[in-house]
Amino acid sequence: MEIEFYKMSGAGNDFIVINNMDGRLPEAGRESLFAAWCRRGMSIGADGVLVLEPSACAHFRMRYHNADGREAETCGNGSRCIARFAHAMGVAPAQMRFETMAGEYEARVDGESVVVSLGDARGLREGIRIAAPEFTGTVHFVNTGVPHAVVLCGGVDLPERIDAVDVIRAGRFLRHHAEFAPAGTNANFVEVIGAQAIAIRTYERGVENETLACGTGSVASC
């Protein structure tokens, strides 16, 4: 079976994108297949896979699988990419609605610019104190379609600058911490760099590494 795919990048998050409006891509075996495709240096390589499918209540349905092959609720930068892809494929108009596992989104495509309205953030928990060799500090938690732990740099325990944070070590530890079980969490490390600006580094669940960007993590950090 031959499957046509596209590569897209949203702010540095890169995706394999498939138009499955005709149902040609089978449901069975997707997890292992997508994990193999996402392996960098050994295959196509990507942070995840976006699948465009029919919807009974919107212009289309977005299915998103992380680089480990597992299906996730949503992806912020992936949502922008698939909206532009759906418009380019003639599946949706420039002003569109689409389904995700996290709820229904609205998007507007204007050339290369894509604006997506995500669902409301929920489950905010502030001031979670964690102390361990891998990470010591205060963590805040919020779900913006997928779970995010947010750490503000500075203070007693953490460096002032995010470029001094060991994002892989600390992020992996928080991602699997019992405080965020059983689903686990993404981990965002934030530095305030101005009155209306922050810098973010993100360890992504499912990618199991630092990524160049994270849309839902940006919303959580703000």
Side-chain angles (χ1 to χ4, degrees):
M1 178 180 61
E2 292 186 356
I3 298 174
E4 183 177 69
F5 71 90
Y6 295 75
K7 277 296 296 285
M8 298 186 73
S9 174
N13 277 145
D14 63 328
F15 307 99
I16 298 164
V17 190
I18 300 168
N19 184 349
N20 194 43
M21 293 296 288
D22 61 2
R24 185 177 184 186
L25 180 68
E27 190 75 30
R30 288 189 183 187
E31 185 171 318
S32 59
L33 183 66
F34 291 169
W37 286 355
C38 288
R39 291 179 63 193
R40 299 192 186 276
M42 300 295 290
S43 187
I44 302 166
D47 289 334
V49 179
L50 296 164
V51 183
L52 182 73
E53 294 189 336
S55 167
C57 60
H59 292 106
F60 63 90
R61 179 187 183 197
M62 180 184 87
R63 303 279 297 278
Y64 175 66
H65 290 252
N66 279 314
D68 62 4
R70 298 177 187 175
E71 189 166 13
E73 297 90 336
T74 190
C75 176
N77 283 320
S79 297
R80 295 194 305 117
C81 286
I82 205 166
R84 187 178 179 199
F85 180 72
H87 182 54
M89 294 290 105
V91 172
Q95 190 81 31
M96 68 187 75
R97 293 179 298 104
F98 61 97
E99 282 188 89
T100 75
M101 287 175 61
E104 191 172 290
Y105 290 178
E106 294 184 354
R108 184 179 71 255
V109 177
D110 182 11
E112 294 186 356
S113 175
V114 183
V115 176
V116 175
S117 176
L118 304 178
D120 292 338
R122 64 185 188 278
L124 177 65
R125 289 190 286 143
E126 298 181 86
I128 303 167
R129 185 68 184 171
I130 294 176
E134 296 87 350
F135 173 85
T136 296
T138 299
V139 181
H140 313 287
F141 176 85
V142 65
N143 191 307
T144 55
V146 288
H148 284 276
V150 180
V151 178
L152 299 178
C153 290
V156 177
D157 303 306
L158 293 164
E160 293 288 336
R161 303 289 302 276
I162 57 171
D163 56 11
V165 176
D166 188 344
V167 170
I168 303 298
R169 185 170 189 251
R172 183 178 293 122
F173 173 75
L174 291 174
R175 182 258 186 271
H176 293 286
H177 196 277
E179 185 72 37
F180 311 111
T185 187
N186 300 279
N188 308 272
F189 301 87
V190 180
E191 176 187 345
V192 178
I193 59 175
Q196 294 181 317
I198 59 176
I200 308 169
R201 294 177 66 187
T202 300
Y203 182 94
E204 283 204 48
R205 178 189 68 164
V207 179
E208 307 307 335
N209 207 340
E210 183 176 5
T211 56
L212 293 178
C214 179
T216 54
S218 297
V219 174
S221 298
C222 287

